[in-house]
Amino acid sequence: MSASASENSEIILETKDLNVFYGDKQAIHSVNMQVKKGTVAALIGPSGCGKSTFLRSLNRMNDFVSTARVDGKVFYQGKNLYSKKVDPVELRSQIGMVFQKPNPFPKSIYKNITWGPKINGFTGDMDLLVEKSLKRAALWGEVKDRLHDSAFDLSGGQQQRLCIARTIAMNPDVILMDEPCSALDPRSTQAIEDLITELKRRYTIIIVTHNMQQAGRISDETYFFHEGNLIESGDTKQIFTKPSVQMTEDYITGRFG
Amino acid sequence: MKNIKNLFIEKSIHLFLLISVSITILTTLAVIVLLGKESIAFFSEVSIISFLFGTNWSPLIEPQSFGVLPLVCGTMWIVFGSVIFAVPVGLLVAVYLSEYASDKVKSFLKPILELLAGIPTVVYGYFALTFITPLMKWFNPEIEVFNAASGAIVVGIMILPMIASLCDDAFSAVPSSIKQGGYALGANTFEVIKDILIPATKSRIGAATVLAVSRAIGETMAVTLAAGATARLTGDPFGSIQTMTAYIVQVTMGDAPAGGVEYLSSFAVGTLLFLMTLVMNIIGNQWVFKSRIRVV
Amino acid sequence: MANTNDSLTSVIELGNTEHESVVNQKRMAKRKLYDKLFYRLCQSTILLALVTLVILVVHIIISGVSWLSLDFFTNFTSRFAEQAGIKAAIMGSMWVLVLTAAFAIPLGVSAAIFLEEYAPKKKWVEWIQINIGNLAGMPSIVYGLVGLTVFVRYLNFERSLLAGSLTLALLVLPIIIISSQEAIKAVPLSLREAAYALGAKKWQVVFLQVLPAALPGILTGVILSISRAIGETAPLIVIGALSFVAFTPASIWDEFTVLPIQIYNWASKPQEEFHQLAAAAIIVLLVLLFAMNFLAIYLRQKYQRYKL
């Protein structure tokens, strides 16, 4: 897709021997990956393969699962996210996340976007920020006349784009997306896919998807997970055309999963 | 034949169940009819205006006077005094339970909260009389043995578990995905609580407050024991007062002859009490129902 | 829907690619401080509540424990503190417990079954539900006034155990209904469907499948409701339960007293010894109530394990 982007780019996020446990059960087995700046990385695999768990360990959202335990390292801009010096709260303002189901706050559209920057002490022009973020999320045209309506009045697809807009408003380096289209209809899915290809110009995106075609369409690199192991990774085109592992091929051609 | 037998079984079960439900309607009717009847008898002897707006309540001493405001004043001291600290404290307890406590701590604290809620009110009355009041007197010996403040404190302790558990229910109805959305934007726990959790549940917190007020209005034994039996319109929370409920206890414990004006007055006060709590309960229950969060 | 034009223009218009973070680092320390302070505040509030409970319990135990003797349980109350006991009160409470349960449980559970399984989705059912909610919040002393007129005067039950228990049964009825409804609601629809699919009649589905499945939940609610009745004082005072009773009731027509009334009576006497007697009686009452509570909590936890 965009081979030029993945050449000479610096690595923004890197995991080293990352293991995640839920109680006694190991959900992720010693995963190593490197994500280059300005690319879209797709995590694929059958459901329950640990791809969401893995994603949530990249901005320490697993901290909220009381039984979860992470060991290994995640480097973001050279710092280990799991070292004691890193404040997960600060970290999450730089690595944003879009969830599987749209989860707008029970507030107005406008406040959904301004809340993040506001608590983080943003002092610039809020109206401009809202406009910018909504435009980047391709939602501006649909909501510009009703910014103060409740976010719940929007359709599912619009809500999901609002959640993307609110993440963009923080101007993060990396956006993690956890099956962002799984609860949406085909047209909204199309809209969000367009958006992702648009957004990668300025953000690095790591997206979990169970939709093979989607991964093929939007990502530069693909990572195939199975039962908590990273089976194969590489250039998306290569993974989809000539995977080197039999299991990957079986999965991509729909023989299981 | 078999069908007829079956139909008979179904019909008789249905009838029995319907009768059980109708008891609740009968109870309400009984409350309304009986309180109404005795109150009407009372108001044929005492004008309703002088009852509602009178500032002197002395049913026992001649000349009798039935101005209910001093009793209402006593009740309000208890209500405000208790709610003003029980609501914030209950809210914080609920926040701790739902946002900070680990599952282990929670499984220890929640039963304790229920135990607190299960302690009879006469026990709280005893506690106020033999612990809280002496403690207050230790700080300031001028304080009367029976005083509104002691009653209000103990009623506050009493309604605390109820407020905490209502707020906790409200918090747990907020989908965790919304809170996680907050954390994913780099908010800390306090910010998520202050800006997402509390605003999303504010009408249910309001409902909890209203229901707590209703409980405090109807509370009887603790205030009868701790707050005294002196009906007066007073601005002094450290003096003896009498609440509406305590007055009913006082009359019914004595030997007021049935049908006499004194006996009837307890029904007039009871009616007022019933109406006040009814309004509170209706508002409170409505708010709880109305404020369900829409989940997408 | 998505407007491709919209997003394209936006990139042209707002085409800066450098990352200026919106995060204001200077405020970070302050935010962290607030976060921490708030946590401490919540923590100390919980601690305060626990300390209060401990003080309450310890204060009562210290005041009353020395009065707990065999005589305390076998003596009737007396004008002399040394000779006073709770025989009549404890027997009265036991009678009230059994009678109230006998009246309120069948009625309450039936009403809950009706509302959950049989009632049509009509406006009048909704009104009944609202009415039950309001009854549950009605001050207990108002129940006392109702009991006084209906049972004591109109039905001429006098100040008997029967009148007292019926009054308390009315008081706990709405609570039993509501908690039983919750328990029945928790039974999954699939269980009902499975039973119907096997050709069961409605009453068979309700009484042979749903009710047994809901039973632990119903029992929990019932126990908590009845323990509420055991602690009630005000309505019994209003209907005229006596505080000085020197006999144990032999039938439902006898006059009676109960533990909470005995406690109230002793607590409202000025002498210190009677306060200590009250504390001793409270210990007995609380042991009884806590035992019932623990039973309820135990049942619920066991039930939760089997939750579908």
Side-chain angles (χ1 to χ4, degrees):
Chain A
M1 215 165 191
S2 56
S4 60
S6 42
E7 275 163 24
N8 67 359
S9 290
E10 57 182 298
I11 285 159
I12 189 161
L13 207 59
E14 179 178 16
T15 70
K16 277 211 174 122
D17 293 327
L18 190 76
N19 294 293
V20 183
F21 303 85
Y22 288 131
D24 299 330
K25 202 176 145 273
Q26 186 161 6
I28 294 291
H29 298 267
S30 185
V31 169
N32 291 291
M33 84 182 277
Q34 295 181 329
V35 179
K36 295 185 196 83
K37 195 170 177 168
T39 61
V40 176
L43 312 184
I44 62 170
S47 47
C49 68
K51 49 195 194 300
S52 290
T53 301
F54 177 75
L55 190 77
R56 294 168 69 88
S57 59
L58 299 182
N59 67 341
R60 294 191 54 177
M61 286 301 281
N62 277 337
D63 289 14
F64 298 109
V65 182
S66 59
T67 55
R69 185 166 60 79
V70 175
D71 78 30
K73 286 171 178 157
V74 179
F75 290 103
Y76 163 66
Q77 294 180 335
K79 283 177 295 184
N80 179 13
L81 299 187
Y82 286 89
S83 88
K84 283 212 170 70
K85 275 180 243 156
V86 171
D87 177 7
V89 169
E90 234 180 304
L91 158 76
R92 292 189 201 106
S93 64
Q94 286 151 337
I95 303 181
M97 187 166 207
V98 177
F99 295 79
Q100 193 167 354
K101 282 186 188 153
N103 57 349
F105 304 130
K107 297 171 185 289
S108 70
I109 295 168
Y110 186 90
K111 282 191 177 158
N112 257 277
I113 293 174
T114 56
W115 186 69
K118 203 181 101 200
I119 56 160
N120 279 290
F122 176 71
T123 48
D125 186 343
M126 277 295 183
D127 291 346
L128 188 69
L129 183 70
V130 170
E131 186 179 339
K132 228 162 79 159
S133 311
L134 283 171
K135 276 187 175 163
R136 284 183 188 169
L139 190 60
W140 176 249
E142 292 155 67
V143 301
K144 64 180 176 210
D145 300 321
R146 47 177 181 140
L147 290 175
H148 297 284
D149 288 6
S150 164
F152 288 148
D153 294 341
L154 299 174
S155 74
Q158 290 172 325
Q159 288 187 1
Q160 192 63 302
R161 275 178 285 148
L162 177 64
C163 292
I164 294 176
R166 127 189 131 182
T167 307
I168 294 173
M170 293 294 298
N171 211 356
D173 285 342
V174 182
I175 300 177
L176 308 175
M177 296 187 171
D178 188 2
E179 301 194 26
C181 303
S182 68
L184 305 181
D185 60 275
R187 284 192 61 188
S188 309
T189 302
Q190 176 66 44
I192 288 180
E193 282 186 16
D194 290 348
L195 182 56
I196 290 168
T197 22
E198 195 60 56
L199 289 174
K200 79 173 177 195
R201 293 173 178 226
R202 62 186 91 227
Y203 307 105
T204 307
I205 293 171
I206 305 177
I207 181 170
V208 166
T209 175
H210 57 212
N211 180 337
M212 231 35 59
Q213 288 78 19
Q214 185 172 66
R217 279 193 299 266
I218 60 177
S219 71
D220 305 307
E221 308 238 314
T222 296
Y223 297 79
F224 172 61
F225 281 78
H226 186 252
E227 289 179 353
N229 293 294
L230 177 57
I231 305 293
E232 188 174 356
S233 64
D235 185 76
T236 297
K237 220 177 271 171
Q238 182 221 318
I239 294 246
F240 275 77
T241 50
K242 40 178 192 301
S244 55
V245 182
Q246 183 62 39
M247 201 192 284
T248 317
E249 187 176 340
D250 288 351
Y251 180 69
I252 286 168
T253 52
R255 253 171 250 158
F256 78 99
Chain B
M1 197 59 218
K2 207 177 154 210
N3 268 340
I4 294 174
K5 189 181 150 211
N6 226 316
L7 197 68
F8 179 73
I9 295 180
E10 289 287 9
K11 284 288 164 200
S12 26
I13 288 175
H14 202 275
L15 187 69
F16 175 72
L17 298 182
L18 195 58
I19 290 172
S20 311
V21 168
S22 56
I23 301 278
T24 60
I25 305 164
L26 285 178
T27 310
T28 307
L29 284 180
V31 171
I32 294 168
V33 171
L34 298 176
L35 288 185
K37 188 169 160 275
E38 307 286 27
S39 298
I40 288 170
F42 174 75
F43 288 125
S44 69
E45 297 191 34
V46 177
S47 94
I48 195 162
I49 301 290
S50 67
F51 174 73
L52 286 179
F53 301 105
T55 54
N56 182 21
W57 184 266
S58 64
L60 304 175
I61 308 152
E62 294 291 339
Q64 283 179 314
S65 169
F66 291 97
V68 80
L69 285 182
L71 294 182
V72 174
C73 167
T75 296
M76 286 305 139
W77 269 120
I78 299 296
V79 169
F80 286 122
S82 59
V83 167
I84 217 157
F85 85 92
V87 167
V89 171
L91 193 63
L92 290 176
V93 167
V95 164
Y96 184 84
L97 281 176
S98 86
E99 300 305 307
Y100 292 112
S102 66
D103 289 349
K104 215 171 147 191
V105 173
K106 224 172 167 171
S107 68
F108 164 75
L109 285 177
K110 286 202 110 177
I112 287 190
L113 217 56
E114 274 175 62
L115 281 189
L116 261 171
I119 295 177
T121 107
V122 69
V123 176
Y124 283 107
Y126 170 85
F127 183 61
L129 192 66
T130 62
F131 187 84
I132 298 175
T133 306
L135 190 69
M136 286 167 63
K137 281 178 81 71
W138 183 74
F139 282 108
N140 179 2
E142 305 274 288
I143 293 173
E144 292 175 38
V145 174
F146 299 106
N147 67 79
S150 176
I153 291 171
V154 87
V155 171
I157 298 175
M158 267 183 65
I159 59 179
L160 182 70
M162 172 190 164
I163 297 169
S165 81
L166 283 173
C167 291
D168 187 41
D169 289 349
F171 291 157
S172 47
V174 176
S176 67
S177 67
I178 293 185
K179 285 186 269 175
Q180 294 201 0
Y183 289 117
L185 290 175
N188 58 37
T189 316
F190 172 55
E191 287 154 351
V192 167
I193 291 166
K194 173 172 70 84
D195 291 343
I196 295 175
L197 199 63
I198 306 255
T201 51
K202 60 176 184 286
S203 46
R204 283 185 72 167
I205 295 169
T209 309
V210 172
L211 293 175
V213 167
S214 166
R215 266 288 291 281
I217 292 175
E219 168 40 41
T220 309
M221 295 321 293
V223 294
T224 305
L225 273 170
T230 326
R232 46 176 200 182
L233 206 54
T234 173
D236 172 24
F238 298 106
S240 173
I241 52 144
Q242 187 169 42
T243 64
M244 298 194 283
T245 49
Y247 173 71
I248 298 175
V249 168
Q250 190 190 16
V251 171
T252 48
M253 273 193 91
D255 288 317
V261 67
E262 210 189 309
Y263 171 87
L264 293 176
S265 71
S266 67
F267 283 85
V269 173
T271 305
L272 188 61
L273 188 70
F274 169 68
L275 291 177
M276 286 167 84
T277 54
L278 182 69
V279 171
M280 294 289 165
N281 291 339
I282 289 177
I283 296 174
N285 288 334
Q286 280 301 102
W287 274 1
V288 172
F289 281 118
K290 264 195 188 156
S291 57
R292 299 247 156 90
I293 289 187
R294 279 181 289 168
V295 184
V296 198
Chain C
M1 275 301 100
N3 180 343
T4 342
N5 247 339
D6 192 1
S7 66
L8 281 180
T9 43
S10 75
V11 175
I12 297 159
E13 266 175 45
L14 313 151
N16 59 328
T17 42
E18 75 273 26
H19 276 269
E20 346 156 26
S21 176
V22 300
V23 180
N24 182 344
Q25 289 299 332
K26 275 184 248 157
R27 279 199 49 203
M28 211 60 200
K30 204 167 154 195
R31 288 173 61 200
K32 270 185 196 163
L33 180 71
Y34 284 161
D35 192 39
K36 187 149 192 149
L37 282 179
F38 185 71
Y39 172 64
R40 292 276 173 243
L41 179 68
C42 289
Q43 216 180 20
S44 17
T45 312
I46 275 277
L47 220 57
L48 184 75
L50 288 179
V51 167
T52 310
L53 179 66
V54 169
I55 290 177
L56 176 87
V57 170
V58 169
H59 170 71
I60 286 167
I61 291 178
I62 289 176
S63 320
V65 76
S66 62
W67 291 81
L68 287 176
S69 63
L70 195 60
D71 286 349
F72 184 68
F73 289 93
T74 54
N75 283 358
F76 292 112
T77 185
S78 162
R79 275 182 294 128
F80 308 104
E82 304 77 43
Q83 295 168 17
I86 54 169
K87 188 176 180 186
I90 211 161
M91 290 310 288
S93 277
M94 287 303 149
W95 273 93
V96 166
L97 182 133
V98 172
L99 289 174
T100 306
F103 296 133
I105 296 174
L107 284 176
V109 176
S110 313
I113 294 173
F114 178 82
L115 289 169
E116 286 304 311
E117 301 288 331
Y118 285 87
K121 295 265 168 285
K122 293 238 175 73
K123 200 77 195 163
W124 63 270
V125 177
E126 219 173 281
W127 278 102
I128 288 184
Q129 198 71 65
I130 292 174
N131 178 41
I132 292 173
N134 288 330
L135 280 178
M138 195 162 85
S140 62
I141 198 157
V142 177
Y143 282 98
L145 291 173
V146 172
L148 174 65
T149 28
V150 177
F151 302 127
V152 178
R153 285 182 47 215
Y154 292 167
L155 295 176
N156 254 324
F157 293 164
E158 302 292 330
R159 305 165 156 193
S160 64
L161 269 171
L162 183 63
S165 308
L166 285 171
T167 307
L168 289 181
L170 286 188
L171 176 99
V172 296
L173 188 61
I175 314 172
I176 292 182
I177 295 176
I178 292 171
S179 61
S180 302
Q181 276 185 282
E182 293 294 325
I184 295 172
K185 259 190 210 133
V187 176
L189 190 67
S190 56
L191 184 72
R192 281 163 247 236
E193 288 172 342
Y196 279 123
L198 292 174
K201 311 273 182 306
K202 172 140 196 169
W203 70 269
Q204 291 169 322
V205 173
V206 172
F207 288 90
L208 304 179
Q209 289 295 340
V210 177
L211 206 53
L215 203 58
I218 292 178
L219 227 48
T220 305
V222 162
I223 294 171
L224 290 176
S225 315
I226 297 299
S227 75
R228 159 109 195 256
I230 292 310
E232 272 301 342
T233 322
L236 295 181
I237 290 183
V238 173
I239 68 153
L242 305 174
S243 49
F244 198 94
V245 177
F247 54 86
T248 51
S251 82
I252 55 172
W253 303 105
D254 285 343
E255 296 186 322
F256 69 106
T257 190
V258 290
L259 273 172
I261 291 187
Q262 191 63 69
I263 293 164
Y264 170 66
N265 182 253
W266 282 336
S268 49
K269 286 187 195 296
Q271 299 94 324
E272 178 64 26
E273 305 91 83
F274 281 104
H275 286 179
Q276 289 166 359
L277 274 176
I282 287 174
I283 295 174
V284 176
L285 180 64
L286 287 186
V287 166
L288 183 69
L289 291 180
F290 284 1
M292 290 173 82
N293 267 279
F294 277 127
L295 184 62
I297 290 167
Y298 168 76
L299 276 172
R300 184 177 47 209
Q301 256 150 21
K302 198 172 157 176
Y303 164 68
Q304 271 172 345
R305 213 178 304 151
Y306 296 114
K307 210 169 185 177
L308 297 154

